Amino acid sequence: MSELITADLVDLDLSADTKEAAARSLAERMVAAGRVTDLDGFLADVAAREAQMPTGLDGGIGIPHCRSEHVTEPTLAFGRSAARIDFGAPDGPADLIFLIAAPAGADSDHLTILSGLARRLMSTEFTGALRSADDPGRVAALIRGDQPEPSAAA
């Protein structure tokens, strides 16, 4: 299995202004990387999941996610939006967007990715590093945990 996120799955200047456009932009990166086989089918699965319950978290975070038969391997794409996008979080729109894609039936992979990411997103050092980073490779390494997060004292 290849890495969950790579530099080509990171967009530090996400130009979308709706959650649908953000999902499409990030999903297109997954298609280009060979991890999603049918863009429209996958986006329909993302939209169906989003319709069940909003995927916005406090702190400016959106985590659209789904399991889909159009996903070849567990994948995470990340986008940073200056425009901020409404994912239904109580505190307002998101500037950090994570699109999580898991193959159909990969319930444990999906939950592992989601819970691990949610735990890390509680760290202001982690979210601050994502907001200030200017290199997609560094962002991918941070999200994978390959690169240490800056400490609060730094």
Side-chain angles (χ1 to χ4, degrees):
M1 184 167 79
S2 58
E3 295 188 286
L4 184 65
I5 184 170
T6 56
D8 58 328
L9 295 168
V10 174
D11 184 350
L12 297 179
D13 296 304
L14 185 64
S15 62
D17 56 0
T18 65
K19 62 185 175 182
E20 294 82 9
R24 177 170 289 277
S25 179
L26 294 174
E28 286 170 350
R29 289 175 176 265
M30 292 178 173
V31 170
R35 296 171 181 230
V36 168
T37 58
D38 177 345
L39 178 63
D40 291 331
F42 173 68
L43 289 172
D45 292 338
V46 172
R49 169 58 192 86
E50 192 73 26
Q52 292 174 5
M53 188 165 90
T55 55
L57 301 177
D58 284 344
I61 298 160
I63 308 182
H65 58 279
C66 73
R67 289 179 297 276
S68 173
E69 66 186 39
H70 308 294
V71 176
T72 61
E73 63 184 287
T75 301
L76 189 146
F78 170 76
R80 190 172 63 202
S81 167
R84 300 181 61 88
I85 300 166
D86 185 8
F87 279 90
D91 71 340
D95 62 331
L96 303 178
I97 294 98
F98 299 86
L99 178 59
I100 300 173
D107 294 349
S108 64
D109 288 340
H110 182 247
L111 293 174
T112 299
I113 295 166
L114 196 54
S115 63
L117 183 60
R119 263 193 311 279
R120 298 194 55 217
L121 288 169
M122 290 190 287
S123 160
T124 56
E125 288 82 15
F126 180 65
T127 56
L130 293 175
R131 286 186 170 104
S132 64
D134 58 5
D135 174 53
R138 173 162 162 60
V139 169
L142 259 171
I143 293 170
R144 284 192 310 265
D146 295 350
Q147 195 158 58
E149 296 171 30
S151 69

